[in-house]
């Protein structure tokens, strides 16, 4: 079996009234298993011989086939004289990931890895033990195979800010070329070619299907003074229906875009799935020269003649470095790990924080909710289409975005509104935690919208540590949301702007309105007051899975820096980290597009170096 859906028996409490916990929920998931329990990659694999596990010497080893890792492996393999090994801890990408309308239920399947943050008494208070749930894609394509597909780059000021910190080569002028290099924008006629590419591997497009509630939200933001704009172009502040990593009604992950077309077709690229890297091999000269990994219950060693490149993401890249002796001296010594290089690995952890609890109800005329029978019919119809169209070929209101400033003196937007569907809002109010955990139905069908206000420039910082009980197990995550209370102030300002949408003609003409019933954890406060909103912000804190910063890029004078501007690990030869963990501070937008760019920018440094040198560098 390629993937496993949510176990409703474990998730649903006894006598739950949630639709997901009813008999229909089981029928629905069984239909998905029947239709989408296969994998294009598994089918392709049948026609080729799998690489032998006894291959052990390569020029480059890339750890992690996610948004950045797939790009890195593809670009390195373009030099046919270089042998490249790409190792992915997860399995093949299942076909269920290709359906945009099913993106919301993927985080409840076994193709993601789930973590729990440590409680800090300031966030996630309504969650079990005050812990937030974080997930990452554990599959070919990484989180680009499991996310909500939106393609958003952040603001040009973000990258100029990175450069101003002493990171040469990372200004917006520098990175724009690498955004465009990957991009194959199908709707370029409506965009400025200065900011977009059309010849890259990564398909970007607008969905061919947009529902009425999504347009209502965009129209309401327009009425409040946010212009219709290409948020990936000259001006980010404004609103739009965001483009997606999709083409002809299907997801295009980085696995689909970069690896699938060349896998098995070129001899110098070897891809191994279900291959978990345990340690980077570093010799007495502090040179990385290979990795130890497990596959099918057996342990293997692979050696690199040039470099090991870690692209395992902001949670697993720092974990692997620490397991290999690169990290905070005191922490590693406590775990009995020999220290090879004392660096601030795992620090600077931060994320785009948001919250649940503010709901927009739709009228019966505009709600897209349909009967259970209709949902099943639409899923079957989608599966039978050659070119995918209709509700499941899109992602409900998830492409509705708005960017604005909480204060007019800011140089860039610091607040984003990102919308999510709520299948039935009354069910959410009755049991918000279970309803969120059991959000299995397509994003296409809903009777309310959850507008998530996101702080794009949070000041709070957390950290990641190895688990003392089992260093190879899930790391200890200190998300530390709202440690800096100004982060709550920014979210409150975003809420206040959002509430003014109820005054717009777009809302009035469609009968759209905010649900003004207090959430269960905040019933002692009056809905609409600052005290109430602070309560739901702290109680129903949420991530949108944009963890960054744990292998910070910075100059040597920065005591928290782990990487130099070419993403080389300080003090270690032949080792780089190329993924979102390198971000000095998070970008003002979703992180999938920037991670693809980081892959392009980072591997360009690698290629340029080895065109001029024959021995590994030491940063």
């Amino acid at each position: 079996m390629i993937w496993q859906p949510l176990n409703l028996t474990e998730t649903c409490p006894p006598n739950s009234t949630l639709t997901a916990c009813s008999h229909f929920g089981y029928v629905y998931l069984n239909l998905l298993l029947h239709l989408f329990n296969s994998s294009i990659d598994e089918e392709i694999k049948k026609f080729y011989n799998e690489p032998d596990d006894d291959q052990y010497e390569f020029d480059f080893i890339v750890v992690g086939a996610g948004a950045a890792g797939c790009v890195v492996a593809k670009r390195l393999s373009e030099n046919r004289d270089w042998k490249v090994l790409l190792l992915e801890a997860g399995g093949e990408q299942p076909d269920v990931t290709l359906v945009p309308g099913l993106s919301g239920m993927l985080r409840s399947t076994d193709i993601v890895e789930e973590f729990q943050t440590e409680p800090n008494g300031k966030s996630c208070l309504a969650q079990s033990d005050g812990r937030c749930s974080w997930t990452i894609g554990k599959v070919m394509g990484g989180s680009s195979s499991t996310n909500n597909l939106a393609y958003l780059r952040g603001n040009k000021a973000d990258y100029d800010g990175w450069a101003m910190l002493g990171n040469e080569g990372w200004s917006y002028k520098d990175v724009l070329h690498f955004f465009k290099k990957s991009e194959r924008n199908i709707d370029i006629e409506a965009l400025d070619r200065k900011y977009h590419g059309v010849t890259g591997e990564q398909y970007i497009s607008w969905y061919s299907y947009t529902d009425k509630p999504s347009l209502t939200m965009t129209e309401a933001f327009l009425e409040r003074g946010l212009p219709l704009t290409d948020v990936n172009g000259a001006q980010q502040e404004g609103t739009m229906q965001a483009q997606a990593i999709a083409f002809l009604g299907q997801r295009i992950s980085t696995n689909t875009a970069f690896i699938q077309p060349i896998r098995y077709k070129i001899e110098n690229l070897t891809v191994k799935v279900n291959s978990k890297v345990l340690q980077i091999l570093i010799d007495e000269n502090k040179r990385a020269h290979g990795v130890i990994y497990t596959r099918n219950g057996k342990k293997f060693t692979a050696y690199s003649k040039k470099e090991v490149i870690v692209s395992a993401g902001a949670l697993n890249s720092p974990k692997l470095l620490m397991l290999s002796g690169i990290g905070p001296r005191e922490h590693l010594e406590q775990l009995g790990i020999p220290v090879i290089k004392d660096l601030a690995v795992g620090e600077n952890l931060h994320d785009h924080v948001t919250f649940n609890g503010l709901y927009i109800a739709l009228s019966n005329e505009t709600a897209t909710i349909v009967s259970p029978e209709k949902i099943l019919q639409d899923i079957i119809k989608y599966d039978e289409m050659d070119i995918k169209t209709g509700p499941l070929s899109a992602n409900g209101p998830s492409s509705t975005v708005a960017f604005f400033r909480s204060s007019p003196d800011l140089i860039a937007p610091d607040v984003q509104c990102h919308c999510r569907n709520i299948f039935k809002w009354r069910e959410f109010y009755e049991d918000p935690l279970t309803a969120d955990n059991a959000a299995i139905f397509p994003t296409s069908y809903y009777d309310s919208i959850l507008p998530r206000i996101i702080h794009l420039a949070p000041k709070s910082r957390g950290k990641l540590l190895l688990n003392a009980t089992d260093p190879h197990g899930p790391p200890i995550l200190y998300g530390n949301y709202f440690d800096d209370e100004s982060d709550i102030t920014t979210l409150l300002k975003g809420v206040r702007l959002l509430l003014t949408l109820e005054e717009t003609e777009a809302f009035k003409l469609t009968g759209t309105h905010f649900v003004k019933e207090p959430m269960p954890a905040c019933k002692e406060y009056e809905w609409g007051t600052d005290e109430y909103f602070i309560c739901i912000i702290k109680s129903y804190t949420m991530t949108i899975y944009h963890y960054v910063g744990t292998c910070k890029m910075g100059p040597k004078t920065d005591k928290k820096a782990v990487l130099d501007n070419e993403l080389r690990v300080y003090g270690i030869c032949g080792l780089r980290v190329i993924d979102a963990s390198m971000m000095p501070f998070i970008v003002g937008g979703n992180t999938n597009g920037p991670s693809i760019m980081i892959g392009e920018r980072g591997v360009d440094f690698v290629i340029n170096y080895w065109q001029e040198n024959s021995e590994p560098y030491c940063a």
Side-chain angles (χ1 to χ4, degrees), residues 265-444:
K265 298 178 182 177
I266 58 175
E267 293 183 356
N268 64 320
L269 173 65
T270 300
V271 180
K272 294 184 183 292
V273 297
N274 301 312
S275 300
K276 182 178 180 179
V277 178
L278 304 178
Q279 183 182 350
I280 302 164
L281 298 174
I282 301 171
D283 65 19
E284 64 277 5
N285 297 315
K286 294 190 176 182
R287 175 185 173 182
H289 63 100
V291 299
I292 298 172
Y293 67 97
T294 60
R295 187 169 189 253
N296 299 325
K298 297 181 180 179
K299 191 175 289 188
F300 300 94
T301 300
Y303 296 97
S304 58
K305 292 189 287 186
K306 290 182 168 61
E307 295 190 30
V308 174
I309 298 172
V310 181
S311 298
L315 303 187
N316 281 323
S317 286
K319 174 185 170 183
L320 179 57
L321 292 189
M322 287 192 277
L323 287 171
S324 307
I326 304 167
R329 178 177 297 278
E330 182 179 355
H331 177 53
L332 297 186
E333 288 178 344
Q334 288 174 347
L335 273 67
I337 298 175
V339 179
I340 296 175
K341 181 63 179 177
D342 181 13
L343 292 172
V345 176
E347 298 190 35
N348 192 44
L349 172 63
H350 56 295
D351 179 28
H352 282 149
V353 64
T354 185
F355 59 95
N356 286 348
L358 193 58
Y359 300 100
I360 296 173
L362 306 173
S363 67
N364 291 336
E365 290 73 27
T366 55
T368 66
I369 200 82
V370 295
S371 69
E373 293 78 14
K374 176 63 172 169
I375 292 176
L376 300 181
Q377 290 169 6
D378 284 356
I379 291 170
I380 294 170
K381 184 177 179 181
Y382 176 92
D383 179 60
E384 293 173 344
M385 294 177 182
D386 291 326
I387 297 178
K388 312 299 186 182
T389 60
L392 287 160
S393 70
N395 205 6
S398 295
S399 290
T400 304
V401 296
F403 291 88
F404 51 92
R405 291 173 291 169
S406 65
S407 176
D409 58 343
L410 295 174
I411 62 172
D414 61 336
V415 179
Q416 177 185 352
C417 179
H418 159 80
C419 294
R420 177 192 154 184
N421 76 301
I422 296 297
F423 185 62
K424 293 180 180 179
W425 71 263
R426 292 193 181 278
E427 293 186 355
F428 253 80
Y429 264 73
E430 291 174 8
D431 188 355
L433 300 183
T434 303
D436 197 47
N437 292 333
I440 59 174
F441 295 121
T443 55
S444 324

Side-chain angles (χ1 to χ4, degrees), residues 119-178:
N120 72 343
K122 301 176 183 179
S123 60
C124 314
L125 300 182
Q127 305 288 340
S128 177
D129 299 323
R131 302 172 186 271
C132 266
S133 174
W134 287 9
T135 62
I136 57 174
K138 187 179 179 181
V139 65
M140 285 296 295
S143 293
S144 78
S145 295
T146 62
N147 64 16
N148 82 343
L149 290 83
Y151 180 75
L152 300 165
R153 297 177 176 173
N155 193 280
K156 60 181 68 176
D158 301 325
Y159 305 102
D160 289 340
W162 291 1
M164 289 173 64
L165 291 175
N167 299 299
E168 183 181 354
W170 290 94
S171 71
Y172 181 71
K173 182 180 178 181
D174 293 316
V175 303
L176 179 58
H177 164 73
F178 294 100

Side-chain angles (χ1 to χ4, degrees), residues 71 85 232 245 252-253 297 364 373 382-383 482 495 577 617:
V71 177
L85 172 64
N232 293 323
I245 52 168
I252 306 294
S253 69
N364 291 336
E373 293 78 14
Y382 176 92
D383 179 60
F482 309 133
V495 168
V577 178
Y617 60 83

Side-chain angles (χ1 to χ4, degrees), residues 74-126:
K74 168 64 163 63
R75 294 292 177 240
L76 292 175
S77 67
E78 289 173 354
N79 184 329
R80 297 295 189 261
D81 293 329
W82 291 344
K83 290 181 63 178
V84 181
L85 172 64
L86 175 61
L87 297 171
E88 168 54 42
E92 303 292 4
Q93 182 183 351
D95 292 346
V96 69
T97 63
L98 305 180
V99 188
L102 297 181
S103 64
M105 56 84 67
L106 295 176
R107 297 193 184 279
S108 299
T109 66
D110 63 349
I111 60 171
V112 301
E113 190 172 6
E114 186 172 5
F115 306 86
Q116 298 291 321
T117 63
E118 295 300 301
N120 72 343
K122 301 176 183 179
S123 60
C124 314
L125 300 182

